Amino acid sequence: MISFDQIQLFNGLLYMDRVLFLLSAIIVLHFFLEWYFFIKKRKFIFDYWHYTCFFIIILPVCIMYPFAGSVINIISVGVAIYDIQDYVNMAYIISIIGYFCMLIGKSICGNKVRRNYNFLERELYKNFNSERYYNVINTINIIILIVLIVLCLRYPEYVFNFRLIRYSEPILGPVINAIVSFSTYSLLFLFFRAIKEKNKVSIFFLLLNIAIILLIGTRALIVQPILIIILIYLGLNRDSLKIVLKISIYVVLLIILNIIFDNFRKYLLGYDNIGLGFFIQFFYGNNMSDLRDFAWILTGFNDDFLWGKTYLSAILSFIPSSLLVFRETYSLGKVTNNFVGIEGEHLGLRGTIFAEPYLNFDIWGVAIVGIILGYWLQYTNNNFLKSMEMKKDIYEIYANLFMYKLFAGLLVQSGGFFISYIGIFMVLLGSFIRRIK
């Protein structure tokens, strides 16, 4: 293990290596300067490249670096923080190497754009404009809500956290997975519908979908489509700085509401110590814990490389893990729990986006995935910007992001790849429904 000169500041609130902290500061400065010059050149406030990199690298890795090893994390991981401290720098370096490789991939892609939409993108766009398609989505959501209400009466202890019911009732695991996966896409589609139609019916079904997600306990599913919509809105209304201020306020309120709901959910579930301040909750809780969790995984990893097993498990995710021992053993969540010794009702540790490539294929996997991811993200961004410059509607703009959102997750966090299968199914379902005479 590389030796680092660690320092603590502000009574242990910060714990870091001076050189890596300086590197982090340089990366953050470069990111915002490059973003500034992008705005000056293209007249866009935000694009998909900067949006994505901010939320997968800049915030969870660079900005969170000095907090990830702080002893204050004992509120979330207990005494394991003392082992985690020895691996934060390693987790940070691996993640930054991946980011540098993303920049290489971005450079290789340059300004390339597509000439034509592929089959899935074309069908998705047609689905968005189909009244029949939304009727089917709304009907499915009504059925899902009825199922969840029945489960609430039968298992009241899992209200607002039904994603954990798989541990006590394994047979319900695939059902909850299917609901979560369906809601991932239906919520975004219904958001688009509500924006386009602006009628009470579309808003009602959007709120119904939100209620489903709150009952399951996957709050991030609500945040993600809102951020995507904000990103598109900024692109289509990029001449007013007042919009930037308003959007910034909305994002901050969204983060605060997310933490408030998390505390409320924990209160209902009987957790203690839920009254932590916003600062402590954000920097030392589990909302931005990717880098800390990656370091935690490394404490029990011991270079026991998996050589693609978690990826294969994800590809086979259409088979319930109860029917396939391999999936039960090598799902990403199960693997990370085994490395750190977590037992019981826990879905696994996230790690940064380059944790899984490293666990499977060492630093070479990080480099290759980084280049591919950077190229693909830049290519997606080029098409995204082109659509907004041409003032396309919100449906067509989102279609440019669909393939990246479908398959990029397999490269960096394969645990949710079943969601991609559902996404493909929903597109094909709409294609079939539209063709029924």
Side-chain angles (χ1 to χ4, degrees):
M1 187 185 301
I2 303 173
S3 177
F4 295 95
D5 181 19
Q6 298 295 118
I7 60 171
Q8 295 191 60
L9 299 174
F10 308 112
N11 295 319
L13 286 175
L14 304 179
Y15 184 83
M16 59 193 174
D17 173 76
R18 292 183 179 89
V19 175
L20 294 185
F21 178 73
L22 177 60
L23 174 62
S24 213
I26 292 172
I27 292 172
V28 172
L29 179 62
H30 170 269
F31 175 83
F32 283 105
L33 282 175
E34 196 270 338
W35 177 23
Y36 171 77
F37 288 119
F38 164 82
I39 294 173
K40 296 285 287 184
K41 180 180 179 181
R42 298 293 296 268
K43 307 302 180 184
F44 281 97
I45 297 167
F46 233 132
D47 65 335
Y48 198 60
W49 172 273
H50 291 95
Y51 161 85
T52 302
C53 287
F54 179 79
F55 284 107
I56 66 175
I57 294 292
I58 301 303
L59 178 56
V61 177
C62 295
I63 293 177
M64 290 300 296
Y65 167 66
F67 302 95
S70 167
V71 71
I72 308 299
N73 284 284
I74 200 169
I75 65 173
S76 299
V77 300
V79 295
I81 186 58
Y82 297 109
D83 294 322
I84 291 171
Q85 287 178 332
D86 295 331
Y87 289 88
V88 168
N89 291 327
M90 182 178 178
Y92 175 82
I93 291 172
I94 292 169
S95 303
I96 292 305
I97 289 174
Y99 177 56
F100 288 159
C101 290
M102 283 183 66
L103 296 177
I104 294 173
K106 177 185 180 182
S107 178
I108 294 172
C109 178
N111 297 316
K112 292 179 183 176
V113 294
R114 72 162 58 85
R115 295 183 179 179
N116 299 298
Y117 288 102
N118 63 40
F119 172 77
L120 288 176
E121 292 164 336
R122 287 196 305 272
E123 292 303 304
L124 175 65
Y125 179 73
K126 292 176 182 177
N127 291 345
F128 279 149
N129 290 283
S130 168
E131 183 72 27
R132 186 184 295 179
Y133 182 60
Y134 284 102
N135 290 338
V136 171
I137 288 179
N138 293 334
T139 301
I140 293 174
N141 274 330
I142 290 173
I143 295 172
I144 289 173
L145 185 60
I146 293 172
V147 170
L148 288 178
I149 291 173
V150 172
L151 290 177
C152 285
L153 298 175
R154 176 66 179 84
Y155 305 97
E157 66 274 21
Y158 286 105
V159 175
F160 297 118
N161 214 15
F162 274 110
R163 58 182 180 161
L164 296 182
I165 200 172
R166 71 192 69 195
Y167 295 105
S168 59
E169 299 291 343
I171 194 172
L172 294 176
V175 176
I176 298 301
N177 280 346
I179 292 174
V180 170
S181 302
F182 180 83
S183 296
T184 299
Y185 292 100
S186 68
L187 180 66
L188 185 60
F189 297 171
L190 292 176
F191 259 119
F192 289 157
R193 180 71 167 178
I195 290 172
K196 288 277 286 187
E197 299 298 324
K198 298 183 178 65
N199 58 51
K200 293 180 180 179
V201 173
S202 59
I203 294 174
F204 169 79
F205 281 107
L206 172 62
L207 294 176
L208 184 147
N209 206 153
I210 291 174
I212 289 171
I213 290 172
L214 293 178
L215 284 173
I216 295 173
T218 49
R219 306 176 316 280
L221 292 187
I222 299 175
V223 176
Q224 292 171 2
I226 292 176
L227 291 176
I228 290 293
I229 290 168
I230 289 173
L231 177 65
I232 294 174
Y233 186 76
L234 285 174
L236 294 175
N237 301 273
R238 58 185 187 271
D239 298 325
S240 175
L241 291 177
K242 291 182 180 179
I243 293 177
V244 181
L245 178 59
K246 290 180 180 179
I247 295 299
S248 300
I249 294 173
Y250 292 154
V251 171
V252 171
L253 289 175
L254 196 62
I255 294 172
I256 294 174
L257 287 173
N258 184 43
I259 292 177
I260 290 173
F261 177 77
D262 187 41
N263 279 333
F264 177 67
R265 179 176 63 87
K266 288 179 178 179
Y267 171 75
L268 292 178
L269 294 173
Y271 283 67
D272 296 325
N273 300 322
I274 65 170
L276 298 175
F278 174 80
F279 177 87
I280 298 296
Q281 190 85 311
F282 184 85
F283 289 102
Y284 307 105
N286 293 316
N287 296 289
M288 287 291 163
S289 60
D290 302 44
L291 184 61
R292 185 197 69 206
D293 286 358
F294 187 12
W296 195 3
I297 295 167
L298 292 176
T299 63
F301 177 51
N302 297 321
D303 291 343
D304 187 16
F305 294 105
L306 300 167
W307 304 115
K309 293 185 180 70
T310 62
Y311 292 112
L312 180 57
S313 175
I315 292 171
L316 297 173
S317 59
F318 57 89
I319 303 174
S321 57
S322 58
L323 300 179
L324 187 62
V325 176
F326 179 86
R327 281 208 62 233
E328 178 66 24
T329 304
Y330 289 107
S331 67
L332 182 60
K334 191 71 172 182
V335 165
T336 57
N337 283 348
N338 287 340
F339 281 139
V340 302
I342 293 178
E343 298 178 353
E345 297 183 353
H346 195 285
L347 297 175
L349 301 175
R350 280 193 306 265
T352 68
I353 64 162
F354 292 108
E356 188 173 7
Y358 180 78
L359 296 175
N360 278 277
F361 301 113
D362 203 345
I363 200 66
W364 300 106
V366 173
I368 294 171
V369 167
I371 292 172
I372 294 173
L373 195 66
Y375 183 99
W376 197 357
L377 179 57
Q378 176 66 8
Y379 179 73
T380 300
N381 188 52
N382 291 340
N383 293 302
F384 176 74
L385 291 175
K386 181 181 177 182
S387 290
M388 289 202 293
E389 286 175 335
M390 296 174 69
K391 294 291 184 179
K392 301 291 186 179
D393 67 18
I394 193 170
Y395 294 154
E396 189 168 347
I397 291 172
Y398 176 74
N400 290 286
L401 309 180
F402 187 63
M403 297 303 294
Y404 179 86
K405 290 183 70 64
L406 270 184
F407 297 110
L410 178 62
L411 294 176
V412 295
Q413 287 181 341
S414 68
F417 189 63
F418 181 72
I419 296 174
S420 297
Y421 283 129
I422 296 297
I424 295 171
F425 168 76
M426 288 182 68
V427 173
L428 298 179
L429 175 64
S431 181
F432 172 75
I433 290 168
R434 294 193 337 267
R435 288 168 168 79
I436 296 176
K437 301 298 184 180

